Amino acid sequence: MGDWWTSVPKETSIGNYEISHLMMSPSKQNNIMSMYSSLGLSKTSYNFISAFCTEDNVPQCISYVNQELDSLGLESCIELSAAGNTGLSSVPALNAFYELLQIHRQDMTTVEELERDQLKRSSTLEHVQISNSRLKDQLELSMREKSGMHETERQLQLKIKTLQSCLKTEKEEVQKLQNIIASRATQYNHDTKRKERETAKLKERLSQLLVDRKDRKLSIDVLNCLGRADGKRSHWKTAKATASHEEDMYKFLLSDYEASQRSLMLENAELKKVLQQMKKEMIHILSPRQMSKGASTDNSQEQGDSDTEARAGDSGRESLDKSCELAREQLTNSIRQQWRKVRSHMERLDSQASQNQEDVILRQTHNDEMEKMRQEVLQCKEFIQTQQQLLQQQLHTSFDDDTAALLNDCYTLEEKERLKEEWKLFEEQKRNFERERKNFTEAAIRLERDKQAFQEDRASWLKNQFLNMTPFTDRRRGSSSDGGQSSLSIRSEPELRMSSTSIHLPKSSTYSTNFSTPKPAPRSAVPTTTELYRTLRLIPDTSSRQSSRGRWQESSTIEDGNNQTKTKIRSRYEEISIFSLGEENSLT
Amino acid sequence: MNFSEVFKQSNQLCKVSPDEKYLATCVQYRVVVRDAATLQILHLYTCLDQISHMEWSSDSQFVLCAMYKRGLVQVWSLEQPNWHCKIDEGSIGLVSSCWSPDARHILNTTEFNLRITVWSLCTKAVSYIKYPKACQKGLDFSRDGSYMALAERRDCKDYISIFVCDDWHLLKHFETETQDLAGVEWSSNGCVLAVWESCLEYKMLLYSLDGRLLSTYSAYEWSLGIKSVSWSPSSQFLAIGSYDEKVRILNHITWKKIAQFEHPSTINNTKAVVYKEVERRPAVSEDLSIPNICMSSTLFSTQSKYETSPVPIHLPVVKPDPERANPKIGISSLAFSSDSRYLATKNDSMPSVVWVWDMQQMSSAAVLEQTAPVRCFQWDPRQPRLALCTGNAKLFLWSPAGCVAVQVPAEGGFQVQSLNWYSSGDSLILLGKDQLCLCYMETQQDQQ
């Protein structure tokens, strides 16, 4: 059996498959059980449907299976080994089983495929259905639109019809009115004519009546008749007279026409002269260019042209006197030709010029123009400045006028603002100076006081020394108060130095900084700042300054150790004095 | 510029004799003839009634005074103050009277235009011309005085008769192609007669002296047509002013339109100089010195001056009433300067504006915008100088050099209603309501 399987050609197996495929559909219908053979189901079914094969009906089962297999086109591989023997030959059965499994798997795959196919189909179907419905909607919409359009069209048609009828009636109306007008006009004309005739008749009658009436005849009352203005006698009205009048009239007319003709002739001649001149100049302009252009293709033709033109020109010149029509035509024609040429030439030149224009302007004139413009701008600026100056001068001088004041206001407002700011700044500076000066004076006062104390100390110290040197030293040393004094004097020296340096320091820095002056001594004995102020103010006087110097010098002679610092302070004072002097000057 | 003192006159009748020796003014019944230079009274004539029309004869020898109400005409002679002539038209009435150019005939038009009576002062003869047409300008003498054109109406048709003024011989008589003829006017050289239709139709016909129709011109149809016509002194141009607020200029060779002058209410043309009259009341408080107070007439009146303003300029326009006949629109008056160089026009819808056109450039030369409606304007007979008045105490003069407003220093509220140039152009007669004043221009001799 295994050999057979292997020996079975592929075609047949395929054919079998095909058959099996074909058979599938009836089998599906026939026994649903087999169709239900999904794995899970089959298991369960196998478990439950155990009634198919029992110990008793094995051969029947086998035969049934065989039959079934036969019907499936498979080899009835399961054979009954013997009638009595109920054993099942396992190999073919397994083969059949395998075969069946294979078939089943294939079926399953095909089913799957089909299902997938089905799914796809259904989705496409759905899609198609959706699109179909959409299209249907669209169709409906367009149908509706169409109907709407139809409706509007119908309405418009109706409108047109009504309008047409309206127009017709209007036209009729117009016609009618025109007719009315025309009839009225004719009637009016007729009436006016009638009236005129009547008035004419009336006039006639009136004049007749007036002539007939005797009461107030028209009359002329002249003292004596005048002679004619020209001194001649009046003539009889004769045919000869009328003829002579006509003759006069025609003579008059003729003379007028002659005059006008003469003027026209003159004008004409002048115009012709101008034309000739123009033509000559044109030829003059065009001919050299044509010569240079001789190499061009239409040389011969142009040459011919110019020849004819020259001839025409000659004939034209002749025709000036003749004023024959043909000559005139020739002249105008040649002029026209020349003119055309000139025009084309001009156009060409124009186009060339437009091409060349840009760089030409850039190179040559641009810089010059720029320079010129700059100069102009400068001039203008100067001019404006001088104008402004003049204006301001004028404004300053003419304060009495209101407008001038107004102008002045608006002009100096800014300046005022600026001045105010400056003033503020100046005030602040002044305040600073004042404060500084106060500080200085205070410092000076303190210094003075310190100095005094120091000198007192010194004096006491010297006294002590002197006393120590004296035989009463022991007694003096014993007193505690003296020792305290000496210690104080010793201590005061570095203090003073410190203060001097501290004074010295801020001088290098700004004025506004606070001095680290030594703590003021008891205030009671101190002169007021104002007093010192006064003394300092007096510094500008040479005598006082000298005196102060003298004083300083005196002090320096007294104290050499503090000399340096003192001179420094002095110089500082001098500065202040100078400043105060300056201030006084400014104030006065 | 000097002004004479004010004289009385009535009916604005004041005329200078053609030889400029005499000045005749009418005051009620009287005619006062003065020496034109010294204004001394030379003659005084008294007529029978209030004078309604006064005219000098062409030889300056006679003064015609017509009294239309009485149907009377009186003629006075300057050479023979005793000589007199009185013409009575009888009960037929009189509506107009004029001299013939030969100064020996008087033409009287009777009421209802029944006829024109021609009276001869030489022979006392009288002759009639029948059927004269009652129209805008039915009678015109040629400039040289040899021909007279007369519009006639017979059998509801228009005719024109041309007479030889010498012996009143009818030279030509022809029918015109008009429905209702409105006027006739000779060209300056007397060779062409312009004939125009009434305002219902725009139609201008040009006839030769011998009655041939030279040309017909019509600018448009249906709407109101010609309102005024003027020949240039050179006979070169014929200016036609019409109801469409335009002036059309025809030339004398082809009789075609060569230019058209429009009168827009907004001026954008930069070529034209627009002079606007600006009134300024003088400040009274400034100096009330005695001479100023004495010149009270000038003190309390407004001063005028001209200002030029840049374009665009909007001119004041009066809207015509469409319901009424003879609408106040269109060119009512136009006048050429003596050298035919300029044309002055006035549009009725802008009554306070006078336009001056340059005939060489064929464009607007100047526009004078006055504060009041212009009453009258007239060109200097010698030079391009236009004088105009607006019914107040001011005289306005335009020349190509510029524009000036002059206060007339006359007392008693003298208002210039009309003006007349002397033919020499040296002086100007300013006519008020019942007063007149002479204005002497500065001449070359004065300046030297």
Side-chain angles (χ1 to χ4, degrees), chain A residues 193 196-197 203-204 206 210-211 216 218-229 237 242 245-246 248-250 252-253 256-257 264, chain B residues 62 70 83-88 91-92 102 104 112 114 121-122 128 130 147 153 156 164 166-169 171 189-191 209-210 212 253:
Chain A
K193 272 188 185 164
E196 220 178 302
R197 276 203 200 94
K203 275 180 186 175
E204 197 81 13
L206 185 66
L210 282 167
V211 167
R216 193 179 154 203
L218 62 165
S219 63
I220 181 160
D221 173 24
V222 188
L223 191 72
N224 54 328
C225 292
L226 297 164
R228 281 172 61 92
K237 281 189 185 175
T242 51
H245 280 313
E246 293 244 329
D248 282 352
M249 181 195 80
Y250 283 121
F252 184 60
L253 274 179
D256 181 64
Y257 278 122
L264 281 175
Chain B
F62 302 98
R70 292 272 292 264
W83 186 87
H84 62 86
C85 168
K86 190 183 94 183
I87 298 166
D88 192 348
S91 46
I92 202 161
D102 65 353
R104 293 295 178 270
F112 308 115
L114 274 179
L121 300 183
C122 299
Y128 304 119
K130 269 193 175 181
Y147 299 103
R153 185 81 177 174
C156 306
V164 182
D166 212 18
D167 55 359
W168 303 107
H169 174 78
L171 186 69
N189 59 12
C191 287
L209 184 57
D210 53 358
R212 282 180 300 123
I253 295 165

Coordinates of all heavy atoms in Angstrom, one line a residue, chain A residues 193 196-197 203-204 206 210-211 216 218-229 237 242 245-246 248-250 252-253 256-257 264, chain B residues 62 70 83-88 91-92 102 104 112 114 121-122 128 130 147 153 156 164 166-169 171 189-191 209-210 212 253:
Chain A
K193 N -49.6 129.4 -37.7 CA -49.7 130.0 -39.1 C -51.0 130.7 -39.2 O -51.1 131.9 -39.8 CB -49.6 128.9 -40.1 CG -48.1 128.6 -40.5 CD -48.0 127.7 -41.6 CE -46.5 127.4 -41.8 NZ -46.2 126.3 -42.6
E196 N -50.8 133.8 -37.2 CA -49.9 134.7 -37.9 C -50.6 135.4 -39.0 O -50.6 136.6 -39.2 CB -48.7 134.0 -38.4 CG -47.4 134.8 -38.2 CD -46.2 134.1 -38.6 OE1 -46.0 132.9 -38.1 OE2 -45.5 134.6 -39.5
R197 N -51.4 134.6 -39.8 CA -52.1 135.1 -40.9 C -53.1 136.2 -40.4 O -53.3 137.2 -41.0 CB -52.8 134.0 -41.7 CG -51.9 133.4 -42.7 CD -52.6 132.7 -43.8 NE -51.6 131.8 -44.4 CZ -51.5 130.5 -44.1 NH1 -52.3 130.0 -43.2 NH2 -50.6 129.7 -44.6
K203 N -53.0 143.5 -38.9 CA -52.0 144.6 -39.1 C -52.4 145.4 -40.4 O -52.4 146.6 -40.3 CB -50.6 144.0 -39.3 CG -49.9 143.7 -37.9 CD -48.6 143.1 -38.2 CE -47.9 142.7 -36.9 NZ -46.6 142.0 -37.2
E204 N -52.7 144.6 -41.4 CA -53.0 145.2 -42.6 C -54.2 146.2 -42.4 O -54.2 147.4 -42.8 CB -53.4 144.1 -43.6 CG -53.4 144.6 -45.1 CD -52.0 144.6 -45.6 OE1 -51.1 144.0 -45.0 OE2 -51.8 145.2 -46.7
L206 N -55.3 147.4 -39.6 CA -54.9 148.4 -38.7 C -54.2 149.6 -39.4 O -54.6 150.8 -39.3 CB -54.0 147.9 -37.6 CG -53.6 148.8 -36.5 CD1 -54.8 149.2 -35.7 CD2 -52.6 148.2 -35.6
L210 N -55.5 153.2 -39.9 CA -54.7 154.4 -39.4 C -54.5 155.4 -40.5 O -54.4 156.6 -40.2 CB -53.4 153.8 -38.8 CG -53.5 153.2 -37.4 CD1 -52.3 152.5 -37.0 CD2 -53.8 154.3 -36.4
V211 N -54.3 154.8 -41.6 CA -54.0 155.7 -42.8 C -55.3 156.5 -43.1 O -55.3 157.7 -43.3 CB -53.6 154.9 -44.0 CG1 -53.7 155.8 -45.3 CG2 -52.2 154.4 -43.8
R216 N -55.1 162.2 -36.2 CA -53.7 162.4 -35.9 C -52.8 161.7 -37.0 O -52.5 160.6 -36.9 CB -53.4 161.9 -34.5 CG -52.0 162.4 -34.0 CD -51.7 161.9 -32.6 NE -50.3 161.9 -32.4 CZ -49.8 161.1 -31.5 NH1 -50.5 160.3 -30.8 NH2 -48.5 161.1 -31.3
L218 N -49.6 160.9 -39.2 CA -48.2 160.9 -39.0 C -47.6 162.0 -39.9 O -48.0 162.3 -41.0 CB -47.6 159.6 -39.4 CG -47.7 159.0 -40.8 CD1 -46.7 157.9 -41.0 CD2 -49.1 158.5 -41.1
S219 N -46.7 162.7 -39.3 CA -46.2 163.9 -39.9 C -44.8 164.2 -39.6 O -44.2 163.6 -38.7 CB -47.0 165.1 -39.5 OG -46.8 165.3 -38.1
I220 N -44.1 164.9 -40.4 CA -42.8 165.4 -40.2 C -42.8 166.9 -40.2 O -43.4 167.5 -41.1 CB -41.7 164.8 -41.1 CG1 -40.3 165.3 -40.8 CG2 -42.1 165.0 -42.6 CD1 -39.2 164.4 -41.3
D221 N -42.1 167.5 -39.3 CA -42.1 168.9 -39.2 C -40.6 169.3 -39.1 O -40.0 169.1 -38.1 CB -42.9 169.3 -37.9 CG -42.7 170.8 -37.7 OD1 -42.5 171.6 -38.7 OD2 -42.9 171.2 -36.5
V222 N -40.1 169.8 -40.2 CA -38.7 170.1 -40.3 C -38.6 171.6 -40.6 O -39.4 172.2 -41.4 CB -38.0 169.3 -41.4 CG1 -36.5 169.6 -41.3 CG2 -38.3 167.9 -41.3
L223 N -37.7 172.3 -39.9 CA -37.5 173.7 -40.1 C -37.1 174.0 -41.6 O -37.8 174.7 -42.3 CB -36.5 174.3 -39.2 CG -36.4 175.8 -39.1 CD1 -37.6 176.4 -38.4 CD2 -35.1 176.2 -38.5
N224 N -36.0 173.4 -42.0 CA -35.7 173.5 -43.4 C -35.0 172.2 -43.8 O -34.3 171.6 -42.9 CB -34.8 174.7 -43.7 CG -33.5 174.7 -42.8 OD1 -33.6 174.2 -41.6 ND2 -32.4 175.2 -43.3
C225 N -35.2 171.8 -45.0 CA -34.6 170.5 -45.4 C -33.1 170.5 -45.5 O -32.5 171.5 -45.8 CB -35.2 170.1 -46.8 SG -36.9 169.7 -46.7
L226 N -32.6 169.4 -45.2 CA -31.1 169.3 -45.1 C -30.6 168.8 -46.5 O -31.3 168.1 -47.2 CB -30.7 168.3 -44.1 CG -31.0 168.7 -42.6 CD1 -30.9 167.5 -41.7 CD2 -30.1 169.8 -42.1
G227 N -29.4 169.1 -46.7 CA -28.7 168.6 -47.9 C -28.2 167.2 -47.6 O -28.1 166.8 -46.4
R228 N -27.9 166.4 -48.6 CA -27.4 165.1 -48.4 C -26.0 165.2 -47.8 O -25.3 166.2 -48.0 CB -27.3 164.3 -49.7 CG -28.6 163.8 -50.1 CD -28.5 163.2 -51.5 NE -27.5 162.1 -51.6 CZ -27.9 160.8 -51.4 NH1 -29.1 160.5 -51.1 NH2 -26.9 159.9 -51.5
A229 N -25.7 164.2 -47.1 CA -24.4 164.3 -46.4 C -23.2 164.3 -47.3 O -22.2 165.0 -47.1 CB -24.2 163.0 -45.5
K237 N -35.3 156.7 -59.0 CA -35.1 155.3 -59.0 C -35.3 154.8 -60.4 O -36.4 154.8 -60.9 CB -36.1 154.6 -58.0 CG -35.6 154.7 -56.6 CD -36.5 153.9 -55.7 CE -36.1 154.1 -54.3 NZ -37.0 153.4 -53.3
T242 N -30.7 150.7 -60.4 CA -30.7 149.3 -59.8 C -29.5 148.6 -60.4 O -28.8 147.9 -59.6 CB -31.9 148.6 -60.1 OG1 -32.2 148.6 -61.5 CG2 -33.1 149.1 -59.4
H245 N -26.4 149.6 -58.7 CA -26.3 149.1 -57.4 C -25.8 147.7 -57.4 O -25.0 147.3 -56.6 CB -27.7 149.1 -56.7 CG -28.0 150.5 -56.2 ND1 -27.1 151.2 -55.4 CD2 -29.1 151.3 -56.3 CE1 -27.7 152.4 -55.1 NE2 -28.9 152.4 -55.6
E246 N -26.4 146.9 -58.3 CA -26.0 145.5 -58.4 C -24.5 145.4 -58.7 O -23.8 144.6 -58.1 CB -26.8 144.8 -59.5 CG -28.3 144.6 -59.2 CD -28.7 143.2 -59.1 OE1 -28.1 142.3 -59.8 OE2 -29.6 142.9 -58.3
D248 N -22.3 147.5 -58.1 CA -21.5 147.9 -56.9 C -21.4 146.8 -56.0 O -20.3 146.5 -55.5 CB -22.2 149.1 -56.2 CG -22.0 150.4 -56.9 OD1 -21.1 150.4 -57.8 OD2 -22.6 151.4 -56.5
M249 N -22.5 146.1 -55.8 CA -22.5 145.0 -54.9 C -21.5 143.9 -55.3 O -20.7 143.4 -54.5 CB -23.9 144.4 -54.8 CG -24.0 143.3 -53.8 SD -25.6 142.4 -54.1 CE -25.2 141.4 -55.5
Y250 N -21.6 143.6 -56.6 CA -20.8 142.5 -57.1 C -19.3 142.9 -57.1 O -18.4 142.1 -56.8 CB -21.2 142.1 -58.5 CG -22.4 141.2 -58.5 CD1 -23.6 141.6 -59.1 CD2 -22.4 140.0 -57.7 CE1 -24.8 140.8 -59.0 CE2 -23.6 139.2 -57.7 CZ -24.7 139.6 -58.3 OH -25.8 138.8 -58.2
F252 N -18.1 144.9 -54.9 CA -17.7 144.8 -53.5 C -17.4 143.3 -53.1 O -16.3 143.1 -52.5 CB -18.9 145.3 -52.7 CG -18.6 145.4 -51.2 CD1 -17.6 146.1 -50.7 CD2 -19.4 144.6 -50.3 CE1 -17.4 146.2 -49.3 CE2 -19.2 144.7 -49.0 CZ -18.2 145.5 -48.5
L253 N -18.3 142.5 -53.6 CA -18.1 141.0 -53.3 C -16.8 140.5 -53.9 O -16.0 139.8 -53.3 CB -19.3 140.2 -53.8 CG -20.5 140.1 -52.9 CD1 -21.5 139.3 -53.5 CD2 -20.1 139.4 -51.6
D256 N -13.7 141.6 -52.2 CA -13.6 140.8 -51.0 C -13.0 139.4 -51.3 O -12.1 139.0 -50.6 CB -14.9 140.7 -50.3 CG -14.8 140.0 -49.0 OD1 -14.1 140.5 -48.1 OD2 -15.4 138.9 -48.9
Y257 N -13.6 138.8 -52.3 CA -13.1 137.5 -52.6 C -11.7 137.5 -53.1 O -10.9 136.6 -52.8 CB -14.0 136.8 -53.7 CG -15.3 136.2 -53.1 CD1 -16.5 136.7 -53.5 CD2 -15.2 135.3 -52.1 CE1 -17.7 136.1 -53.0 CE2 -16.3 134.7 -51.6 CZ -17.6 135.2 -52.0 OH -18.7 134.6 -51.4
L264 N -5.2 133.8 -49.1 CA -5.1 132.3 -49.1 C -3.9 131.9 -49.9 O -3.1 131.0 -49.5 CB -6.3 131.7 -49.7 CG -7.5 131.6 -48.7 CD1 -8.7 131.1 -49.4 CD2 -7.2 130.7 -47.5
Chain B
F62 N -26.3 165.7 -35.4 CA -27.7 165.7 -34.9 C -27.8 164.7 -33.7 O -27.1 163.7 -33.6 CB -28.6 165.2 -36.0 CG -28.5 166.1 -37.2 CD1 -27.7 165.8 -38.3 CD2 -29.2 167.3 -37.2 CE1 -27.7 166.6 -39.4 CE2 -29.2 168.2 -38.3 CZ -28.4 167.8 -39.4
R70 N -45.2 158.7 -26.5 CA -46.0 159.7 -27.3 C -45.9 159.4 -28.8 O -46.6 160.1 -29.6 CB -45.4 161.1 -27.0 CG -45.7 161.6 -25.6 CD -47.0 162.3 -25.6 NE -47.1 163.5 -26.3 CZ -46.8 164.7 -25.8 NH1 -46.6 164.9 -24.5 NH2 -46.9 165.8 -26.6
W83 N -32.5 175.1 -35.4 CA -33.1 174.0 -36.3 C -33.8 173.0 -35.5 O -33.2 172.6 -34.4 CB -32.0 173.4 -37.2 CG -32.5 172.5 -38.2 CD1 -33.0 172.8 -39.5 CD2 -32.7 171.1 -38.1 NE1 -33.4 171.7 -40.2 CE2 -33.2 170.6 -39.3 CE3 -32.5 170.2 -37.1 CZ2 -33.5 169.3 -39.6 CZ3 -32.7 168.8 -37.3 CH2 -33.3 168.4 -38.6
H84 N -34.9 172.6 -35.9 CA -35.5 171.5 -35.2 C -36.3 170.6 -36.1 O -36.7 171.0 -37.2 CB -36.5 172.0 -34.1 CG -37.6 172.9 -34.6 ND1 -38.8 172.3 -35.0 CD2 -37.7 174.2 -34.8 CE1 -39.5 173.3 -35.5 NE2 -38.9 174.4 -35.4
C85 N -36.6 169.4 -35.7 CA -37.3 168.5 -36.5 C -38.2 167.6 -35.6 O -37.7 167.2 -34.5 CB -36.4 167.6 -37.3 SG -37.2 166.2 -38.1
K86 N -39.4 167.5 -35.9 CA -40.3 166.7 -35.1 C -41.0 165.7 -36.0 O -41.7 166.1 -36.9 CB -41.3 167.6 -34.3 CG -42.1 166.8 -33.3 CD -43.1 167.7 -32.6 CE -44.4 167.6 -33.3 NZ -45.4 168.5 -32.7
I87 N -40.9 164.4 -35.6 CA -41.6 163.4 -36.4 C -42.7 162.8 -35.5 O -42.4 162.3 -34.4 CB -40.7 162.3 -36.9 CG1 -39.6 163.0 -37.9 CG2 -41.4 161.3 -37.6 CD1 -38.5 162.1 -38.1
D88 N -43.9 162.8 -36.0 CA -45.0 162.3 -35.3 C -45.5 161.0 -36.0 O -45.9 161.1 -37.2 CB -46.1 163.3 -35.2 CG -47.2 162.8 -34.2 OD1 -47.2 161.7 -33.8 OD2 -48.1 163.7 -33.8
S91 N -51.1 157.8 -34.3 CA -51.7 156.8 -33.4 C -51.2 155.4 -33.6 O -51.5 154.5 -32.9 CB -53.2 156.9 -33.4 OG -53.6 156.9 -34.8
I92 N -50.4 155.2 -34.6 CA -49.9 153.9 -34.9 C -48.9 153.4 -33.9 O -48.6 152.2 -33.8 CB -49.3 153.9 -36.4 CG1 -49.3 152.4 -36.9 CG2 -47.9 154.5 -36.4 CD1 -49.2 152.4 -38.4
D102 N -26.4 157.2 -43.1 CA -26.1 158.5 -43.8 C -26.5 159.7 -43.0 O -26.3 160.8 -43.5 CB -26.7 158.5 -45.2 CG -28.2 158.5 -45.1 OD1 -28.8 158.4 -44.0 OD2 -28.8 158.7 -46.2
R104 N -29.2 161.1 -42.6 CA -30.2 162.0 -43.2 C -31.6 161.3 -43.2 O -32.6 161.8 -43.7 CB -29.9 162.3 -44.7 CG -28.6 163.2 -44.8 CD -28.9 164.6 -44.2 NE -27.8 165.4 -44.3 CZ -26.8 165.5 -43.4 NH1 -26.9 164.8 -42.3 NH2 -25.8 166.4 -43.5
F112 N -46.4 146.8 -32.9 CA -46.8 145.5 -33.5 C -46.0 145.2 -34.7 O -46.3 144.3 -35.5 CB -48.3 145.5 -33.9 CG -49.2 145.8 -32.7 CD1 -49.9 147.0 -32.8 CD2 -49.2 145.1 -31.6 CE1 -50.8 147.3 -31.8 CE2 -50.0 145.4 -30.5 CZ -50.8 146.6 -30.6
L114 N -45.7 146.7 -37.4 CA -46.6 146.9 -38.6 C -45.8 147.2 -39.8 O -45.9 146.7 -40.9 CB -47.6 147.9 -38.4 CG -48.9 147.5 -37.7 CD1 -49.8 148.7 -37.5 CD2 -49.6 146.4 -38.5
L121 N -34.8 163.4 -44.0 CA -34.7 164.8 -43.5 C -34.3 165.7 -44.7 O -34.4 167.0 -44.6 CB -33.6 164.9 -42.4 CG -33.8 164.1 -41.2 CD1 -32.7 164.4 -40.2 CD2 -35.2 164.5 -40.6
C122 N -33.9 165.1 -45.8 CA -33.6 166.0 -47.0 C -34.9 166.4 -47.7 O -35.0 167.6 -48.1 CB -32.7 165.2 -47.9 SG -31.2 164.6 -47.2
Y128 N -42.3 153.4 -46.6 CA -42.6 152.3 -45.7 C -41.9 151.0 -46.1 O -41.8 150.7 -47.3 CB -44.1 152.0 -45.6 CG -45.0 153.2 -45.3 CD1 -45.9 153.7 -46.1 CD2 -44.8 153.9 -44.0 CE1 -46.7 154.8 -45.8 CE2 -45.6 155.0 -43.7 CZ -46.5 155.4 -44.6 OH -47.3 156.5 -44.3
K130 N -42.8 147.2 -45.3 CA -43.8 146.4 -44.7 C -43.2 145.1 -44.2 O -42.1 144.7 -44.6 CB -44.9 146.1 -45.7 CG -46.0 147.2 -45.6 CD -47.2 146.7 -46.4 CE -48.4 147.6 -46.3 NZ -49.5 147.1 -47.0
Y147 N -25.2 149.0 -46.6 CA -26.3 148.0 -46.7 C -27.0 147.9 -45.4 O -26.4 148.0 -44.4 CB -25.8 146.7 -47.2 CG -25.1 146.8 -48.6 CD1 -23.7 146.7 -48.7 CD2 -25.9 146.9 -49.7 CE1 -23.1 146.8 -49.9 CE2 -25.2 147.0 -51.0 CZ -23.9 147.0 -51.1 OH -23.3 147.1 -52.3
R153 N -41.3 138.9 -42.4 CA -42.1 137.7 -42.3 C -43.4 137.9 -43.2 O -44.2 138.8 -43.0 CB -42.6 137.6 -40.8 CG -43.4 136.3 -40.5 CD -42.5 135.1 -40.3 NE -43.2 134.0 -39.9 CZ -42.7 132.8 -39.8 NH1 -41.4 132.6 -40.0 NH2 -43.5 131.7 -39.5
C156 N -46.1 133.5 -43.3 CA -45.5 132.5 -42.4 C -44.2 132.0 -42.9 O -43.8 130.8 -42.7 CB -46.5 131.3 -42.2 SG -48.1 131.9 -41.6
V164 N -30.0 149.0 -50.1 CA -28.8 149.9 -50.3 C -29.2 151.2 -49.5 O -30.2 151.8 -49.8 CB -28.6 150.3 -51.7 CG1 -27.4 151.2 -51.9 CG2 -28.4 149.0 -52.5
D166 N -28.0 154.0 -49.4 CA -27.9 155.2 -50.2 C -29.2 155.8 -50.6 O -29.5 157.0 -50.4 CB -27.0 154.9 -51.4 CG -26.2 156.1 -51.7 OD1 -26.0 157.0 -50.8 OD2 -25.7 156.2 -52.9
D167 N -30.0 155.0 -51.2 CA -31.3 155.5 -51.7 C -32.5 154.5 -51.4 O -33.5 154.5 -52.1 CB -31.2 155.7 -53.2 CG -30.8 154.5 -54.0 OD1 -30.5 153.5 -53.3 OD2 -30.7 154.5 -55.2
W168 N -32.2 153.7 -50.4 CA -33.3 152.7 -50.0 C -33.8 151.9 -51.1 O -34.9 151.5 -51.2 CB -34.4 153.4 -49.3 CG -33.8 154.2 -48.1 CD1 -33.7 155.5 -48.1 CD2 -33.3 153.6 -46.9 NE1 -33.0 155.9 -46.9 CE2 -32.8 154.7 -46.2 CE3 -33.1 152.3 -46.5 CZ2 -32.2 154.6 -45.0 CZ3 -32.5 152.2 -45.2 CH2 -32.0 153.3 -44.5
H169 N -32.9 151.5 -52.0 CA -33.2 150.6 -53.1 C -33.1 149.2 -52.6 O -32.1 148.8 -51.9 CB -32.2 150.8 -54.2 CG -32.3 149.9 -55.3 ND1 -33.3 150.0 -56.3 CD2 -31.6 148.8 -55.6 CE1 -33.2 149.0 -57.1 NE2 -32.2 148.3 -56.8
L171 N -32.1 145.8 -52.8 CA -31.0 145.1 -53.6 C -31.4 143.6 -53.8 O -31.3 143.1 -54.9 CB -29.7 145.3 -52.9 CG -28.5 144.8 -53.6 CD1 -28.2 145.6 -54.8 CD2 -27.3 144.8 -52.7
N189 N -16.7 142.9 -42.4 CA -16.4 143.5 -43.7 C -17.7 143.6 -44.6 O -17.6 144.1 -45.7 CB -15.4 142.6 -44.4 CG -15.8 141.2 -44.6 OD1 -17.0 140.9 -44.4 ND2 -14.9 140.3 -45.0
G190 N -18.8 143.2 -44.1 CA -20.1 143.5 -44.8 C -20.4 142.5 -45.9 O -21.2 142.8 -46.7
C191 N -19.7 141.4 -46.0 CA -19.9 140.5 -47.1 C -20.7 139.3 -46.8 O -21.3 138.7 -47.6 CB -18.5 140.0 -47.6 SG -17.6 141.2 -48.5
L209 N -23.7 138.4 -49.6 CA -24.4 139.7 -49.8 C -25.4 139.6 -51.0 O -26.5 140.2 -51.0 CB -23.3 140.7 -50.2 CG -23.8 142.2 -50.4 CD1 -24.5 142.7 -49.2 CD2 -22.5 143.0 -50.7
D210 N -25.1 138.7 -51.9 CA -26.0 138.6 -53.1 C -27.1 137.5 -52.8 O -27.8 137.1 -53.8 CB -25.2 138.2 -54.3 CG -24.3 137.0 -54.1 OD1 -24.3 136.5 -53.0 OD2 -23.6 136.6 -55.1
R212 N -26.8 134.3 -51.7 CA -26.5 132.9 -51.8 C -26.3 132.4 -50.4 O -25.7 133.0 -49.6 CB -25.2 132.7 -52.6 CG -25.4 132.8 -54.1 CD -24.1 132.5 -54.9 NE -23.1 133.5 -54.5 CZ -21.9 133.2 -54.0 NH1 -21.6 131.9 -53.8 NH2 -21.1 134.1 -53.7
I253 N -13.5 130.5 -43.7 CA -13.2 129.9 -45.0 C -14.1 128.7 -45.3 O -14.8 128.6 -46.3 CB -11.7 129.5 -45.0 CG1 -10.8 130.7 -45.0 CG2 -11.4 128.7 -46.3 CD1 -9.4 130.5 -44.6

